[in-house]
Amino acid sequence: MDTADTPTEEVTRLPLKALGIRTGMALQTRRLVEGASKKESQFYGAIEGKGVMVGPLGTEGTKTELEEGEVCVVRGFTGQYEFSFLSKVLQTFEKPFAYALLAYPAMVDAKLVRHSMRVKTSWPTTVLQPGKDGAATPQALDVTLIDISMSGTMIKAPTALAAIGEVLTLSMDAIVDNMPVRLTLAGKVCHNNRAGGEDAFCIGLAFTNLTQQDKLLLNYLLQGPITG
C-alpha cells in the first residue's frame, strides 16, 4: 500500500536487532556459488553476536539448500525495511526440524521503504463518501480494510469510490480492553487500482488530521490482533 510514507533510495547500515525481525518472517537465501538460485526461507530466531537461524518456508520444507562453510546472502522485508546481509553458514540441521545456523552479522544493509509498520487484516469497515449530485448526506458503503498502519490504510471496495486526492471517512468498530470502540478516521486517496483478477478495487488512503486519541487507539490496535 502506498500512503503518505515517502520511500527512500538511501541504503544505510543498521544492527540486525534494530530491524525488529519476527519469528516466521519470510526471507530469501542464496548460496554465493555459480548457478545457485534463491530459496524461499523463513526466520526462526537469532542470538545477538552468535548466530541467526533460518529454515525452509512452510511446514513441508525439509532442506535449507545451504551448505556448511559456504557464504550466503540473506534478503528480506520487515514491513518497513528492505534488508540484506552476507553470512557464513556455520551449521545445518535436519532434526528436530530443518534449519541452518548462520554467523550473526555485525551490520546489515537496510533501506527504509515505509515509515510505519503495516499490519495485514480483514476488518469490516464502513466508508463515507461525499454526497454526490448535490446530496447533503454522505453515502455509507461497506468495505474491507486489508492493511493498516499509523499513517494509512488500504481498503477493498466494490467500486473506485473516489478520485486520487479526495478525502473519504472510515468508520471502524474495534474492541479495546474488552470494550467496544468506534474509530472514525479521514483519509486522502493516494492510489486506486482494480484488484487483479477480482471485481473489486484496492484503495490506498493516507490518514489526515489524526487527533491524539486517534493515534493512541491506532497504536493500541497495531500491537495485537485487530478485532472488530
Side-chain angles (χ1 to χ4, degrees):
M1 173 185 66
D2 297 321
T3 63
D5 292 348
T6 303
T8 176
E9 295 300 318
E10 182 180 358
V11 175
T12 57
R13 299 282 287 169
L14 293 175
L16 180 67
K17 67 177 183 179
L19 299 178
I21 306 175
R22 301 182 302 278
T23 299
M25 185 171 285
L27 303 171
Q28 283 187 340
T29 55
R30 182 173 64 82
R31 300 159 56 205
L32 286 186
V33 295
E34 187 176 353
S37 58
K38 297 175 183 177
K39 171 73 173 178
E40 298 300 323
S41 306
Q42 63 179 311
F43 175 78
Y44 286 152
I47 300 175
E48 188 176 355
K50 294 183 184 274
V52 178
M53 292 175 285
V54 301
L57 188 64
T59 57
E60 303 302 318
T62 58
K63 293 183 178 180
T64 64
E65 296 187 13
L66 298 174
E67 299 291 337
E68 187 173 323
E70 290 185 331
V71 174
C72 69
V73 60
V74 179
R75 300 183 185 278
F77 178 55
T78 68
Q80 289 181 273
Y81 287 95
E82 291 180 352
F83 67 91
S84 66
F85 62 89
L86 291 175
S87 183
K88 184 177 181 179
V89 181
L90 300 179
Q91 288 180 278
T92 60
F93 302 86
E94 294 183 358
K95 297 179 180 180
F97 52 87
Y99 73 96
L101 179 65
L102 310 180
Y104 194 92
M107 303 288 279
V108 303
D109 292 328
K111 181 172 71 174
L112 182 64
V113 177
R114 295 169 173 166
H115 288 293
S116 52
M117 183 70 74
R118 300 295 195 273
V119 175
K120 292 187 181 298
T121 184
S122 181
W123 189 359
T125 302
T126 300
V127 64
L128 300 177
Q129 296 176 264
K132 302 295 183 180
D133 300 324
T137 304
Q139 298 176 318
L141 181 68
D142 292 333
V143 299
T144 300
L145 185 149
I146 57 179
D147 76 24
I148 188 169
S149 75
M150 289 295 295
S151 60
T153 184
M154 181 182 285
I155 59 175
K156 184 180 287 187
T159 68
L161 295 183
I164 292 174
E166 288 192 65
V167 175
L168 301 172
T169 300
L170 302 178
S171 181
M172 299 169 258
D173 291 319
I175 303 296
V176 176
D177 287 338
N178 297 317
M179 295 292 292
V181 173
R182 175 158 292 180
L183 187 59
T184 302
L185 304 171
K188 182 181 292 186
V189 177
C190 294
H191 70 80
N192 195 332
N193 301 303
R194 185 176 292 277
E198 298 183 52
D199 189 19
F201 286 80
C202 288
I203 302 160
L205 303 172
F207 294 139
T208 61
N209 301 319
L210 291 177
T211 67
Q212 187 62 28
Q213 181 69 9
D214 293 336
K215 293 176 182 178
L216 288 172
L217 283 172
L218 277 172
N219 184 66
Y220 179 92
L221 293 169
L222 289 169
Q223 301 308 308
I226 295 177
T227 56

